[in-house]
Amino acid sequence: MPHKFDPARRARLEDPARAEVLPPEHLLRHGGLRPGMRLADVGCGPGFFTIPAAAIVGPAGRVYAVDISEEMLQAVREKVTASGYTNVTTLRATEDALPLPDGAADFALLAFVLHEAADQQAFAREVARIVARGGRVLLLDWDRREMEVGPPVADRVSPEDAQAVLEAAGFSVVETFQPNTLHYGLIGVATEEVEA
């Protein structure tokens, strides 16, 4: 069974030092997020990317904060209330289903969640289902090598394997990049109609 992040350790996800290594607004803009878009933050955690995404898409856009953990979703709701944003919807997912209709998002963010999926291919197909044709996906994950932080190396997904998973689901990967010395990013475009 893949390593799952423990919600009890969520303070690690909100550490200000994390924003220096993974500047959320910069990464989202680099991935192609723009005002007016509908973003699905899949595996949103406590909202590290959700709130910056809400600022970028603005009042004409929408952010769907999706997670399997009610504790994480409650943390997002608290941040949304404190920030005053009205363009964020929290949604509870299951391991194998995202609670959004087909083509509901123009952009999907998969930040450090692919390695947690029990069936990565099924997970990627479900993400592709909710992304409109021509929409984008930004995948961020840990490099597959030994380091003092992050999940066990055996549970990590290499950039090449992540690209293969996305492409099999109907995304065309248009860029691979290294935002820092620990992580990698992939940007893809939904190029095919996905069959359920």
Side-chain angles (χ1 to χ4, degrees), residues 28-38 53 56-58 61 107 136:
L28 290 165
R29 289 187 188 279
H30 181 86
L33 190 64
R34 301 286 178 263
M37 281 185 160
R38 301 164 299 158
I56 293 170
V57 301
F107 191 112
R136 299 173 78 81

Side-chain angles (χ1 to χ4, degrees), residues 1-2 5 13 19 21 36 44 50 80 92 96 102-104 125 142 145 153 166 188-189 195:
M1 194 68 181
F5 188 84
L13 300 179
V21 176
C44 63
T50 306
V80 169
R92 180 100 182 253
D96 53 7
D102 295 359
R125 280 194 307 271
W142 293 90
R145 59 184 169 79
V153 172
L166 288 180
V189 176
E195 295 180 13

Side-chain angles (χ1 to χ4, degrees), residues 1-6 9 112-113 115-117 150-152 155-156:
M1 194 68 181
H3 169 86
K4 295 268 195 271
F5 188 84
D6 180 358
R9 301 170 69 196
F112 308 98
V113 293
H115 71 266
E116 294 190 359
D155 289 344
R156 299 182 188 201

Side-chain angles (χ1 to χ4, degrees), residues 41-180:
D41 185 356
V42 180
C44 63
F48 179 79
F49 288 97
T50 306
I51 302 304
I56 293 170
V57 301
R62 170 72 38 192
V63 175
Y64 300 104
V66 185
D67 208 287
I68 62 172
S69 164
E70 183 56 37
E71 181 181 337
M72 293 295 198
L73 292 174
Q74 184 56 38
V76 172
R77 286 191 282 270
E78 289 167 8
K79 285 183 179 177
V80 169
T81 299
S83 70
Y85 286 110
T86 58
N87 60 348
V88 178
T89 301
T90 56
L91 299 167
R92 180 100 182 253
T94 63
E95 284 286 333
D96 53 7
L98 299 174
L100 284 165
D102 295 359
D106 306 304
F107 191 112
L109 172 65
L110 309 178
F112 308 98
V113 293
L114 183 63
H115 71 266
E116 294 190 359
D119 184 337
Q120 293 171 0
Q121 200 57 70
F123 171 70
R125 280 194 307 271
E126 180 65 355
V127 171
R129 180 189 66 76
I130 67 164
V131 176
R133 190 166 187 175
R136 299 173 78 81
V137 63
L138 171 60
L139 181 147
L140 299 167
D141 224 315
W142 293 90
D143 274 339
R144 194 160 199 243
R145 59 184 169 79
E146 288 290 344
M147 56 183 81
E148 294 180 9
V149 292
V153 172
D155 289 344
R156 299 182 188 201
V157 182
S158 71
E160 297 79 14
D161 288 345
Q163 179 169 340
V165 168
L166 288 180
E167 289 180 344
F171 291 103
S172 175
V173 173
V174 296
E175 185 182 344
T176 302
F177 66 100
Q178 297 267 168
N180 54 56

